[in-house]
Amino acid sequence: ELKVEQNPLFLSMQEGKNYTIYCNYSTTSDRLYWYRQDPGKSLESLFVLLSNGAVKQEGRLMASLDTKARLSTLHITAAVHDLSATYFCAVDGDSGAGSYQLTFGKGTKLSVIP
Amino acid sequence: EAGVTQSPTHLIKTRGQQATLRCSPISGHTSVYWYQQALGLGLQFLLWYDEGEERNRGNFPPRFSGRQFPNYSSELNVNALELEDSALYLCASSRRGQDLHFGNGTRLTVT
């Protein structure tokens, strides 16, 4: 059974600081996703990482994937209040091209304090 | 382009009743996925429909069922509701091999 663990689950940080969210998964996978969820809202796709060593950046967020270590990181640079949200990583452990039977981590609730 | 739409937004049922949740995928998307986001349990894969057929289901009892219609919209039915079924149910759609798009969800409350 595929397990996905995120840490930390809660993160309170000051504006301007840097921090990293970690996502470990338990089985071989070549597709890892990062999503953002605002309270009461749906999931917004942030990054799709498809190969070992993949690195993607968008604004103050940068995601990387190490398939050998079964680890992905989401790095936040110089945090701003607008980044406050819950961040999920998800792994597709299955199931062939075109399927999205994702296993999600429990999420990291990020609060950026002015 | 209209996104994935789900209805109703909120649904309140009593234990033992049946709930029906609906999802319209993005135009051109043939795959529909259902996920449950329950407090304390996180997001869990429920069902996958593609081209009108159920392709796979997650670790949920048979009282969770659904179908996909010829226009690719989908329905999720939950029979014999239990208190633990209270959750946000998210529908997502995709084309084969393309990105996944989520709807805003249906919040089901079982009392």
Side-chain angles (χ1 to χ4, degrees):
Chain A
E1 180 191 347
L2 173 58
K3 293 188 190 302
V4 180
E5 290 188 2
Q6 275 182 250
N7 68 83
L9 297 182
F10 298 93
L11 178 55
S12 181
M13 55 191 298
Q14 286 188 311
E15 279 191 331
K17 299 291 187 181
N18 304 332
Y19 210 84
T20 300
I21 299 170
Y22 298 89
C23 175
N24 289 90
Y25 53 97
S26 62
T27 189
T28 304
S29 175
D30 56 1
R31 287 184 284 175
L32 189 135
Y33 305 82
W34 284 97
Y35 290 93
R36 168 181 171 146
Q37 187 177 38
D38 292 292
K41 300 291 180 85
S42 189
L43 297 174
E44 174 191 354
S45 177
L46 293 175
F47 301 108
V48 180
L49 302 169
L50 298 176
S51 60
N52 187 39
V55 177
K56 291 196 174 180
Q57 184 164 4
E58 180 75 33
R60 300 174 187 275
L61 300 177
M62 183 173 71
S64 65
L65 178 62
D66 181 344
T67 58
K68 293 179 182 176
R70 297 178 186 170
L71 170 69
S72 180
T73 61
L74 180 67
H75 187 72
I76 302 155
T77 302
V80 293
H81 181 67
D82 284 353
L83 290 179
S84 297
T86 300
Y87 294 84
F88 293 92
C89 66
V91 176
D92 188 345
D94 183 291
S95 21
S99 81
Y100 286 93
Q101 297 162 83
L102 304 180
T103 299
F104 282 82
K106 289 193 178 300
T108 297
K109 186 171 182 179
L110 171 65
S111 298
V112 181
I113 304 163
Chain B
E1 167 182 87
V4 177
T5 57
Q6 291 186 246
S7 62
T9 307
H10 294 87
L11 189 56
I12 300 174
K13 294 284 186 178
T14 56
R15 199 167 45 183
Q17 285 188 316
Q18 178 193 2
T20 298
L21 288 63
R22 295 180 177 83
C23 173
S24 292
I26 292 172
S27 177
H29 288 192
T30 60
S31 280
V32 169
Y33 302 80
W34 289 94
Y35 285 85
Q36 182 197 64
Q37 188 174 25
L39 203 60
L41 294 177
L43 276 147
Q44 295 182 280
F45 165 72
L46 245 172
L47 287 160
W48 172 32
Y49 292 95
D50 182 62
E51 298 282 356
E53 293 194 13
E54 181 180 305
R55 301 294 182 178
N56 206 357
R57 65 183 293 128
N59 190 23
F60 282 83
R63 58 191 186 80
F64 286 83
S65 66
R67 53 183 171 165
Q68 187 178 32
F69 299 98
N71 66 354
Y72 304 115
S73 67
S74 177
E75 208 170 75
L76 173 69
N77 295 296
V78 188
N79 293 321
L81 285 164
E82 299 178 3
L83 296 178
E84 307 83 72
D85 298 333
S86 295
L88 180 67
Y89 289 84
L90 291 170
C91 172
S93 74
S94 76
R95 284 183 227 266
R96 279 273 187 156
Q98 302 295 317
D99 204 8
L100 193 63
H101 297 261
F102 282 88
N104 287 332
T106 292
R107 173 122 357 237
L108 173 63
T109 302
V110 183
T111 62

